[in-house]
């Protein structure tokens, strides 16, 4: 088995037929498709059973609802392919998707392609800046200064080595709800020698309104995500000591600190606990936040002013009344 394609599914009954047909129409046939039903409330499981019956290339898993990360991990634990790629149930990919990824499989530890963004009936091509083969052992800065890995952090449109994943225990973290796929990519890159960039656009993803990126959660959840991305980026910077990664680190920390601040204000904790959360957040990340934060509105500028000057009581008083 050359490649395993893993697709997590939650309440995806409307999309299963199209995805299964897309897989059966692939020009590259030496694959297994692992469909993971993540505790769907609709009839996803029954429809999956119907469409994959009789085709030995399809594997169907069912688990209680634990989220996309655990669903992908379930697929990774049983994947037999030498290579791994991913797809999401409500996205669209053509018959060349696996074929074009596999064309460069032997040329690097990671193949990364462009994609198409579908938003409000419009299509936007998202292309990699410069195609080519990048040796991270020789010129890591050339790669990291060429491509914004945050922009290309999604798991699809990539081909991973299953050997690297299994040998180093690289799975999707459940400590982070937002950008868990970027976190996975960051940790995977720590073990990469060569990355191949190519401007194939066989995969179209839907820009869904109301996604996780537009929500914030409790302080504990947001802080857990902050610590996870911090740890992963520190590992990457330890492996590749290049300037562009420091900028990525600062930008990412600012984003997650801001989410933690919002989550803290929306929490049900007593004011004393909220103040302590802000204080601890500042002593851990205040220097990075002050250096890299570039607020775009007067309100956010005011928040930065209060945070960086440790005016936590005033900050909590205002934000707990403004932030909904």
């Amino acid at each position: 088995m050359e490649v395993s394609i893993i697709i997590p599914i939650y309440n995806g009954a409307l999309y299963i037929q199209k995805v299964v047909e897309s897989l059966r129409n692939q020009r590259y046939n030496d694959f297994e498709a692992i469909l993971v039903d993540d505790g769907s409330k609709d009839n996803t499981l029954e429809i999956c059973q119907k469409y994959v019956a009789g085709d030995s290339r399809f594997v169907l898993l069912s688990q209680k609802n634990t989220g996309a990360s655990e669903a992908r991990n379930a697929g990774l634990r049983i994947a037999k392919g030498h290579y791994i790629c991913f797809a999401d149930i409500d996205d669209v990919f053509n018959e060349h998707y696996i074929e074009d990824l596999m064309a460069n499989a032997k040329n690097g530890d990671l193949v990364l392609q462009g994609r198409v963004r579908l938003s409000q009936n419009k299509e936007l091509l998202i292309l990699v800046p410069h195609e080519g083969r990048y040796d991270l052992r020789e010129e890591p800065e050339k790669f990291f200064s060429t491509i914004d890995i945050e922009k290309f952090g999604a798991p699809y449109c990539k081909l991973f080595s299953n050997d690297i994943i299994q040998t180093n225990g690289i799975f999707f973290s459940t400590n982070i709800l937002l950008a868990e796929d970027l976190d996975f990519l960051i940790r995977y890159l720590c073990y990469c020698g060569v990355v191949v960039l190519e401007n194939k656009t066989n995969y179209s993803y839907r820009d869904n309104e109301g996604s996780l990126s537009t929500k914030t959660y409790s302080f504990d959840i947001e802080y857990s995500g902050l610590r996870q991305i911090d740890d992963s980026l520190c590992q990457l910077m330890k492996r590749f000591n290049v300037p562009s990664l420091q900028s990525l680190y600062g930008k990412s920390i600012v984003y997650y600190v801001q989410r933690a601040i919002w989550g803290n204000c929306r929490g049900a904790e007593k004011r004393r606990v909220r103040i302590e959360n802000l204080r601890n957040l500042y002593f851990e990340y205040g220097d990075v936040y002050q250096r890299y934060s570039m607020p775009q509105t007067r309100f956010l500028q005011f928040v930065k002013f209060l945070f960086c000057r440790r005016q936590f009581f005033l900050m909590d008083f205002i934000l707990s009344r403004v932030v909904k």
Side-chain angles (χ1 to χ4, degrees):
M1 184 70 61
E2 280 299 297
V3 59
S4 299
I5 179 168
I6 298 171
I7 305 176
I9 309 172
Y10 178 72
N11 292 346
L14 295 177
Y15 306 102
I16 294 169
Q17 180 178 359
K18 191 167 186 177
V19 166
V20 170
E21 289 176 352
S22 295
L23 289 166
R24 286 176 173 163
N25 290 334
Q26 290 297 301
R27 292 171 61 91
Y28 189 94
N29 290 312
D30 190 11
F31 70 86
E32 66 171 356
I34 304 175
L35 309 180
V36 186
D37 173 41
D38 185 39
S40 297
K41 303 298 184 183
D42 62 6
N43 58 338
T44 286
L45 183 59
E46 292 78 4
I47 295 176
C48 283
Q49 291 170 335
K50 171 185 174 182
Y51 280 111
V52 306
D55 193 330
S56 60
R57 295 175 301 174
F58 287 84
V59 179
L60 177 59
L61 299 180
S62 180
Q63 62 180 36
K64 66 178 182 179
N65 179 236
T66 50
S69 289
E70 274 299 342
R72 292 189 180 109
N73 289 341
L76 286 172
R77 292 187 187 100
I78 68 164
K80 298 177 182 178
H82 295 114
Y83 302 95
I84 301 291
C85 67
F86 296 94
D88 284 346
I89 188 64
D90 58 344
D91 293 337
V92 180
F93 50 94
N94 65 29
E95 68 271 19
H96 300 286
Y97 181 50
I98 301 178
E99 178 186 50
D100 285 345
L101 284 170
M102 288 298 297
N104 271 308
K106 304 297 183 182
N107 296 327
D109 300 313
L110 173 68
V111 181
L112 190 156
Q113 295 181 344
R115 62 190 189 274
V116 179
R117 175 185 175 186
L118 303 176
S119 180
Q120 298 180 346
N121 298 320
K122 296 181 180 179
E123 293 187 358
L124 175 65
L125 290 180
I126 300 178
L127 304 176
V128 298
H130 298 285
E131 290 186 297
R133 186 175 182 272
Y134 294 80
D135 193 329
L136 303 187
R137 298 161 298 192
E138 301 293 331
E139 297 180 292
E141 177 63 15
K142 184 178 180 181
F143 170 74
F144 288 110
S145 63
T146 294
I147 188 166
D148 181 353
I149 62 172
E150 187 177 30
K151 181 178 179 180
F152 290 88
Y156 40 74
C157 305
K158 297 177 182 66
L159 190 73
F160 300 91
S161 163
N162 198 14
D163 182 61
I164 289 178
I165 290 172
Q166 302 298 336
T167 299
N168 299 286
I170 306 170
F171 292 90
F172 290 83
S173 174
T174 56
N175 293 326
I176 183 169
L177 286 182
L178 178 68
E180 74 285 351
D181 38 17
L182 172 62
D183 179 73
F184 177 86
L185 176 63
I186 289 169
R187 287 183 287 115
Y188 183 88
L189 284 169
C190 290
Y191 301 95
C192 275
V194 175
V195 179
V196 178
L197 302 182
E198 57 180 22
N199 267 330
K200 304 290 186 180
T201 53
N202 301 316
Y203 192 102
S204 301
Y205 78 100
R206 303 180 191 278
D207 188 11
N208 295 319
E209 296 183 0
S211 65
L212 282 177
S213 61
T214 65
K215 304 174 184 177
T216 52
Y217 296 86
S218 70
F219 177 83
D220 289 344
I221 292 175
E222 297 292 354
Y223 180 74
S224 175
L226 169 61
R227 293 296 302 162
Q228 176 65 43
I229 205 74
D230 179 10
D231 181 69
S232 297
L233 282 168
C234 284
Q235 289 183 44
L236 189 65
M237 291 189 294
K238 184 177 180 180
R239 167 75 195 281
F240 303 110
N241 184 22
V242 296
S244 53
L245 286 180
Q246 186 63 48
S247 177
L248 173 65
Y249 176 81
K251 179 182 176 182
S252 299
I253 292 301
V254 165
Y255 179 69
Y256 282 92
V257 165
Q258 193 68 69
R259 290 184 62 90
I261 290 172
W262 294 159
N264 190 55
C265 296
R266 291 171 173 156
E269 294 86 356
K270 294 181 179 180
R271 190 181 189 197
R272 172 182 54 81
V273 176
R274 298 199 305 269
I275 298 300
E276 189 64 22
N277 288 341
L278 291 173
R279 183 177 289 111
N280 292 336
L281 198 62
Y282 172 82
F283 283 112
E284 281 191 86
Y285 296 105
D287 289 343
V288 177
Y289 188 84
Q290 184 165 16
R291 179 179 177 184
Y292 288 97
S293 175
M294 293 181 288
Q296 300 300 308
T297 67
R298 289 185 178 180
F299 177 69
L300 292 178
Q301 290 170 2
F302 183 54
V303 171
K304 178 179 179 178
F305 174 85
L306 294 176
F307 185 63
C308 293
R309 281 159 180 76
R310 293 181 277 181
Q311 299 296 313
F312 306 127
F313 284 92
L314 179 57
M315 186 177 174
D316 178 75
F317 178 81
I318 294 172
L319 292 183
S320 61
R321 287 158 176 78
V322 173
V323 178
K324 303 298 181 182

